[in-house]
């Protein structure tokens, strides 16, 4: 049984950024060690190498920024939780080194403000909120239609801060180095707001958005550890363990693909019956077959994800509108409103009866949100991700998503992922996109403004997808 919130909580207050250069320097010194041993210091896993491409572009942008010629926002891919650490390493270690090599003069520090999910401090602890505030973080409530304080703070920093600002336009991790999730429009909107703010202040700076891709590779393909992990998942699920070394299939990739599909089909069938029986969802029964295609499995998975979200949406009184990511964001905010009660001035002053009701609602809201957490892990899963490239990385990414799902159900809402081996990160800096050039055409009317945001978001999506395809 997962560990749940058992009582109502005070409101999640905004954590204002309080940039501290000393804290940033200390964190920068420790960063290589943190990247290597972030999770379990005694295991040979972590990121031991970060290589960057087109870094000179970023160094030149910082030089122009520091000269007062431009303002820019870094829009970086967010496949894994290590991404912010890699971005910090890029700015604090690689960019200054490249600048020195290219005789590009930069002032210290080379850093950026950044936006982060306020929910990170819920599961990690208050210390993380303190650390992020000291190194320039701005917390945002992802599910809120308008988190005014976060937006105003970020908007002010973008236009007037001493540093650029970094945002992950996907809004959260998707666990796939090779897939860019649909981008949220906030980054594009921030770009147009910045141009507007500069225009009102009669300032000449050009506003740019810089796409940056991050991808991960294992130093040595972790096939043996994948075998171990699949065996563990099979055992935890109740399936007979099928060791890859004992398979009659000659191709290693085919062996792992078969085991992964077998495990996925079994878990989908079990979860279909779970929602069919206990939540009264209308899910057609499917007869298992050895010839079940990946396409059939994905269709069943997407139907299952839809039903899981409907169970939570029905409880919170929400409509099933938008894609899976949109629906997850709305559910998260609805659950937080039931748990972190802004309508209660002092929860400790409540009479026992009302406090008991408040705790009851918080417990149930957290449990209902678990349906949404399960869906979050699989929003980027497609039919051909592994077929396109049958690499150890893609097998590992998909298997770890299944591990997350099982962990949330049997152990905890914060799964501690197993480390499969040392990794390297590849960071690719794309060509900056000018927002200033698009601003005049966006000022015709409200429809033109909305269309400009949509077009810029699409262009940024294409740019990020091209960077991971190169």
């Amino acid at each position: 049984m997962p560990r749940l919130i058992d009582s109502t909580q005070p409101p999640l207050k905004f954590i204002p950024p309080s940039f501290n250069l000393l804290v940033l320097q200390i964190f920068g010194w420790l960063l290589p060690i943190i990247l290597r041993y972030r999770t379990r210091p005694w295991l040979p896993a972590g990121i031991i190498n970060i290589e960057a491409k087109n870094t000179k572009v970023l160094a030149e942008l910082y030089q122009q920024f520091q000269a007062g010629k431009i303002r820019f926002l870094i829009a970086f891919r967010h496949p894994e939780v290590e991404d912010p650490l890699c971005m910090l390493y890029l700015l604090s270690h690689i960019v200054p080194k490249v600048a020195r090599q290219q005789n590009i003069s930069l002032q210290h520090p080379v850093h950026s403000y950044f936006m982060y999910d306020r929910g990170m401090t819920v599961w990690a602890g208050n210390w993380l909120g303190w650390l992020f505030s000291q190194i320039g973080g701005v917390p945002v409530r992802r599910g809120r239609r308008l988190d005014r304080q976060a937006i105003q703070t970020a908007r002010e920093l973008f236009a007037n801060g001493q540093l650029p600002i970094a945002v992950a336009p996907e809004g959260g991790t998707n666990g796939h180095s090779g897939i860019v999730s649909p981008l949220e429009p906030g980054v594009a909107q921030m770009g147009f707001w910045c141009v507007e703010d500069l225009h009102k202040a009669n300032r000449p700076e050009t506003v740019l958005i810089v796409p940056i891709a991050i991808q991960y590779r294992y130093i040595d393909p972790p096939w043996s550890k994948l075998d171990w992990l699949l065996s563990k998942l099979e055992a935890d699920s109740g399936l007979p363990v099928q060791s890859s070394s004992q398979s009659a299939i000659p191709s290693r990739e085919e062996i792992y693909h078969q085991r992964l599909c077998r495990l996925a089909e079994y878990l989908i069938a079990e979860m279909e019956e779970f929602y069919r029986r206990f939540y009264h969802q209308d899910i057609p029964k499917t007869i298992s077959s050895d010839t079940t295609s990946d396409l059939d499995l994905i269709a069943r998975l997407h139907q299952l994800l839809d039903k899981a979200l409907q169970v939570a949406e029905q409880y919170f009184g929400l409509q099933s509108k938008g894609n899976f990511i949109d629906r997850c964001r709305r559910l998260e905010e609805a659950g937080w409103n039931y748990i972190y009660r802004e309508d209660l001035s002092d929860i400790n002053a409540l009479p026992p009866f009302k406090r008991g009701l408040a705790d009851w609602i918080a417990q149930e809201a957290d449990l209902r949100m678990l349906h949404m957490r399960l869906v979050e892990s699989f929003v980027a899963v497609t039919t051909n991700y592994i077929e396109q490239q049958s690499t150890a990385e893609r097998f590992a990414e998909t298997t770890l998503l299944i591990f997350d799902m099982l962990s949330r159900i049997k152990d905890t809402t914060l799964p501690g992922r197993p480390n499969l081996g040392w990794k390297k990160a590849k960071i690719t800096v794309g060509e900056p996109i000018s927002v200033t050039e698009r601003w005049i055409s966006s000022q015709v009317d409200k429809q033109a403004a909305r269309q400009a945001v949509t077009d810029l978001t699409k262009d940024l999506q294409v740019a990020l997808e091209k960077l991971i395809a190169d």
Side-chain angles (χ1 to χ4, degrees):
M1 177 66 185
R3 294 195 298 270
L4 301 172
I5 292 175
D6 59 6
S7 63
T8 190
Q9 304 292 316
L12 287 173
K13 295 181 179 180
F14 180 76
I15 306 172
S18 180
F19 183 67
N20 187 315
L21 182 57
L22 178 60
V23 174
L24 176 64
Q25 288 176 330
I26 294 173
F27 193 71
W29 293 333
L30 296 174
L31 190 56
I33 299 174
I34 295 172
L35 283 164
R36 279 176 173 254
Y37 306 110
R38 186 182 64 83
T39 53
R40 295 171 177 85
W42 57 89
L43 289 179
I47 298 172
I48 60 173
N49 182 38
I50 298 178
E51 61 181 45
K53 184 178 178 181
N54 298 335
T55 314
K56 182 182 177 182
V57 171
L58 198 55
E60 291 173 339
L61 289 173
Y62 266 95
Q63 185 182 51
Q64 295 175 56
F65 180 93
Q66 293 174 354
K69 297 179 180 180
I70 64 171
R71 310 291 299 183
F72 71 90
L73 179 149
I74 297 171
F76 66 95
R77 273 237 53 215
H78 199 9
E80 302 289 352
V81 294
E82 292 89 356
D83 304 332
L85 295 175
C86 291
M87 286 300 302
L88 181 57
Y89 188 89
L90 170 70
L91 299 183
S92 62
H93 290 70
I94 299 178
V95 171
K97 179 180 179 180
V98 170
R100 289 191 297 270
Q101 293 171 345
Q102 300 293 329
N103 293 319
I104 299 172
S105 177
L106 295 181
Q107 302 169 21
H108 183 74
V110 178
H111 185 56
S112 72
Y113 304 110
F114 59 95
M115 300 188 75
Y116 68 94
D117 174 20
R118 181 64 173 85
M120 293 179 66
T121 64
V122 172
W123 53 260
N126 293 333
W127 68 270
L128 189 65
W130 175 87
L131 175 61
F132 282 174
S133 73
Q134 297 292 297
I135 60 175
V138 179
V140 62
R141 296 271 290 265
R142 295 184 304 176
R144 281 191 170 176
R145 181 172 296 180
L146 191 62
D147 190 342
R148 293 184 182 277
Q149 197 164 7
I151 291 173
Q152 289 298 328
T153 301
R155 182 172 178 174
E156 170 65 22
L157 291 174
F158 193 178
N160 302 306
Q162 297 179 348
L163 303 167
I165 189 167
V167 183
E170 291 165 280
T173 61
N174 69 6
H176 289 67
S177 281
I179 295 178
V180 181
S181 293
L183 305 190
E184 299 180 359
V187 164
Q189 183 62 72
M190 285 179 63
F192 285 110
W193 280 338
C194 187
V195 177
E196 179 184 338
D197 293 341
L198 297 179
H199 179 74
K200 289 179 179 178
N202 294 315
R203 289 166 53 186
E205 298 102 309
T206 298
V207 177
L208 305 171
I209 293 177
V210 187
I212 294 183
I214 305 176
Q215 295 175 287
Y216 299 95
R217 296 287 184 271
Y218 287 97
I219 302 298
D220 298 308
W223 293 111
S224 61
K225 290 191 176 180
L226 264 176
D227 181 35
W228 164 81
L229 181 56
L230 279 168
S231 298
K232 173 178 171 55
L233 296 178
E234 288 165 345
D236 288 348
S237 302
L239 275 173
V241 175
Q242 183 180 7
S243 174
S244 296
S245 61
Q246 299 174 349
S247 175
I249 301 176
S251 167
R252 176 173 57 190
E253 289 76 9
E254 289 181 15
I255 294 172
Y256 284 95
H257 186 265
Q258 181 197 65
R259 291 182 67 186
L260 201 54
C261 287
R262 171 175 171 262
L263 176 62
E265 182 176 11
Y266 177 79
L267 292 173
I268 289 173
E270 288 291 312
M271 294 304 294
E272 286 174 337
E273 180 60 23
F274 173 73
Y275 280 104
R276 188 185 298 119
R277 177 181 178 186
F278 297 107
Y279 290 95
H280 317 295
Q281 297 300 303
D282 182 18
I283 303 177
K285 290 191 176 183
T286 303
I287 299 176
S288 298
S289 170
D290 292 336
T291 60
T292 300
S293 68
D294 289 356
L295 188 62
D296 292 334
L297 279 179
I298 294 298
R300 289 173 61 188
L301 173 64
H302 286 176
Q303 176 182 244
L304 180 61
L305 299 183
D306 176 61
K307 295 298 183 181
L309 289 177
Q310 286 185 34
V311 167
E313 288 164 342
Q314 289 164 6
Y315 173 76
F316 289 112
L318 299 175
Q319 294 184 350
S320 302
K321 296 192 304 182
N323 57 35
F324 288 149
I325 296 174
D326 295 335
R327 293 165 69 183
C328 286
R329 297 288 183 269
R330 285 197 297 273
L331 281 167
E332 181 177 62
E333 184 61 23
W336 281 8
N337 287 338
Y338 279 27
I339 297 169
Y340 302 96
R341 299 286 295 274
E342 295 183 358
D343 59 319
L344 300 177
S345 57
D346 185 0
I347 58 177
N348 294 319
L350 292 174
F353 171 67
K354 291 187 177 181
R355 177 61 187 265
L357 291 177
D359 291 346
W360 186 355
I361 289 299
Q363 293 170 16
E364 189 161 6
D366 195 40
L367 186 59
R368 293 284 176 164
M369 287 172 69
L370 185 55
H371 299 283
M372 177 270 293
R373 297 298 180 201
L374 295 179
V375 173
E376 276 188 320
S377 297
F378 297 98
V379 293
V381 175
T382 64
T383 55
N384 58 357
Y385 186 61
I386 290 178
E387 291 177 355
Q388 287 177 338
Q389 296 181 27
S390 297
T391 62
E393 284 78 17
R394 295 199 174 195
F395 277 111
E397 288 172 356
T398 306
T399 306
L400 287 170
L401 292 179
I402 296 177
F403 173 85
D404 291 346
M405 174 259 198
L406 286 177
S407 295
R408 290 187 185 280
I409 292 175
K410 70 184 183 66
D411 293 327
T412 173
T413 55
L414 178 61
R417 278 186 164 193
N419 291 311
L420 301 182
W422 297 113
K423 292 194 294 185
K424 60 182 178 181
K426 176 186 176 183
I427 304 177
T428 308
V429 180
E431 292 300 317
I433 301 171
S434 174
V435 187
T436 302
E437 292 178 358
R438 302 166 182 248
W439 184 74
I440 294 178
S441 62
S442 74
Q443 298 304 296
V444 177
D445 53 31
K446 290 184 178 179
Q447 182 176 354
R450 287 193 294 268
Q451 188 60 46
V453 170
T454 300
D455 291 343
L456 179 52
T457 302
K458 288 180 180 178
D459 290 346
L460 181 58
Q461 177 102 28
V462 171
L464 288 171
E465 289 173 348
K466 185 176 183 300
L467 289 176
I468 66 173
D470 290 344

